[in-house]
């Protein structure tokens, strides 16, 4: 069984079916893309896997455990983290404190330890600070740890959001349109960063992205949605030439 195994998931809101019999598998170290026109159901797929929505039917397994219908916090603790199309940083906090928030999700000191500043609490805080500094250096944010998150350039804010997600210790990382709003130079840096994260942290990565050049250059396998249904699955060359994919993209060959 794959590390993440999504089987025949459907999501229905009243009379509207947003996702129909969606299936996907991702193993550690895989880089999988999810593409489709606006309204195809891509973000719905992310939201149901991360616990924002409960599936109407189907099953989701992560590392052999059922997570369908679990809360986002429970799913994150199980080993799945995500970023968002609209960056969701704590803008008034420092870069390092944003990362420490991620580490705190797995801290062991508990509420009482936090209130009384127990020795365990202090040791964990020191450890999280050092690990956070190392993580920021790995992701190209060395020397920016004391800046407020809101003062980072846009591309660095994306890096910080990925760093915070990685701080939760995921087995699978979901990236929701990470290149949105980026200029060509930032997109090239992002492409290198995604590969680096996959290789250094040995995570599976599931990527939603509208930039087809980025998707085709980085993903080993691509799933295509249209009106909530899967219309193609395959390698970039296979997907690029698929008749239904060409039709879904308004008659233009995906390049």
């Amino acid at each position: 069984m794959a590390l993440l195994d999504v089987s025949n998931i459907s999501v229905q809101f009243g009379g509207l079916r947003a996702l129909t019999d969606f299936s996907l598998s991702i193993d550690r170290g895989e880089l999988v893309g999810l593409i489709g026109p606006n309204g195809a159901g891509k973000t719905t797929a992310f939201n149901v896997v991360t616990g924002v929505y409960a599936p109407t039917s189907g099953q989701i397994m992560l590392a052999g455990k059922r997570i369908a219908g679990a809360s986002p916090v429970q799913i994150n603790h199980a080993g799945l983290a995500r970023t968002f199309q609209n960056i969701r940083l704590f803008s008034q906090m420092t870069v390092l404190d944003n990362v420490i928030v991620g580490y705190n999700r797995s801290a062991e000191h508990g509420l009482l330890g936090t209130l009384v500043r127990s020795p365990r609490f202090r040791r964990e805080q020191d450890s999280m600070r050092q690990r956070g500094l190392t993580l920021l250096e790995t992701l190209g944010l060395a020397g920016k740890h004391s800046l407020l998150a809101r003062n980072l350039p846009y591309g660095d804010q994306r890096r910080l959001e990925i760093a915070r997600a990685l701080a939760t210790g995921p087995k699978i990382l979901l990236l929701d349109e990470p290149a949105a709003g980026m200029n060509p130079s930032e997109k090239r840096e992002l492409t290198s960063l995604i590969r680096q994260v996959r290789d250094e942290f040995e995570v599976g990565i599931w990527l939603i992205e509208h930039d087809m050049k980025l998707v085709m250059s980085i993903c080993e396998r691509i799933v295509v949605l249209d009106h909530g249904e899967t219309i193609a699955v395959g390698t970039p060359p296979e997907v690029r030439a698929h008749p239904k994919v060409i039709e879904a993209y308004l008659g233009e060959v995906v390049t």
Side-chain angles (χ1 to χ4, degrees):
M1 179 181 291
L3 184 57
L4 175 65
D5 188 23
V6 182
S7 302
N8 302 116
I9 287 293
S10 293
V11 179
Q12 189 162 333
F13 304 108
L16 173 65
R17 177 158 288 200
L19 205 61
T20 303
D21 292 330
F22 177 76
S23 296
L24 175 83
S25 63
I26 302 178
D27 265 322
R28 187 179 300 276
E30 277 197 294
L31 219 166
V32 179
L34 180 64
I35 65 173
N38 288 330
K42 303 182 299 295
T43 299
T44 298
F46 262 28
N47 284 340
V48 73
V49 170
T50 56
V52 177
Y53 304 143
T56 304
S57 61
Q59 190 54 262
I60 307 169
M61 306 288 289
L62 178 62
K65 297 180 180 179
R66 297 175 184 269
I67 61 169
S71 72
V73 171
Q74 290 171 327
I75 290 172
N76 179 246
H77 285 166
L80 194 149
R82 72 174 292 182
T83 65
F84 295 85
Q85 179 181 353
N86 299 315
I87 297 173
R88 299 185 184 182
L89 295 173
F90 298 105
S91 60
Q92 301 291 336
M93 293 171 61
T94 68
V95 169
L96 179 57
D97 283 341
N98 266 271
V99 174
I100 289 175
V101 166
Y103 285 125
N104 263 309
R105 293 189 181 186
S106 59
E108 298 179 355
H109 49 256
L111 177 60
L112 179 61
T114 301
L115 293 175
V116 302
R117 296 297 193 268
S118 66
R120 171 181 283 186
F121 171 85
R122 292 194 294 271
R123 288 195 300 271
E124 285 195 337
Q125 289 297 306
D126 289 343
S127 173
M128 287 187 287
R129 178 179 174 81
Q130 291 305 314
R131 286 186 291 159
L133 290 170
T134 299
L135 180 57
L136 289 172
E137 182 175 4
T138 301
L139 268 66
L141 293 171
K144 300 182 179 181
H145 63 278
S146 61
L147 297 178
L148 293 180
R150 67 180 183 181
N151 293 333
L152 287 177
Y154 185 79
D156 282 349
Q157 289 187 24
R158 287 286 184 192
R159 287 177 179 267
L160 177 55
E161 192 176 35
I162 293 172
R164 188 179 61 188
L166 289 171
T168 67
K171 303 178 181 73
I172 300 287
L173 177 64
L174 279 60
L175 304 177
D176 190 353
E177 296 198 32
M182 287 188 171
N183 61 41
S185 175
E186 290 171 331
K187 288 180 181 179
R188 287 192 294 271
E189 292 178 358
L190 175 68
T191 300
S192 297
L193 177 65
I194 292 172
R195 290 195 180 104
Q196 176 191 356
V197 167
R198 188 269 306 272
D199 295 341
E200 292 195 19
F201 294 88
E202 298 182 336
V203 294
I205 295 179
W206 184 15
L207 172 75
I208 291 177
E209 185 52 65
H210 279 292
D211 188 309
M212 290 300 99
K213 184 176 180 181
L214 187 153
V215 171
M216 295 293 173
S217 68
I218 199 172
C219 293
E220 296 131 356
R221 183 160 43 93
I222 299 172
V223 179
V224 189
L225 284 176
D226 189 29
H227 298 294
E229 297 186 358
T230 302
I231 61 173
V233 180
T235 64
E238 290 169 343
V239 165
R240 187 184 292 120
H242 198 289
K244 288 187 177 180
V245 176
I246 296 172
E247 181 182 356
Y249 278 89
L250 305 177
E252 297 179 0
V253 176
V254 180
T255 59

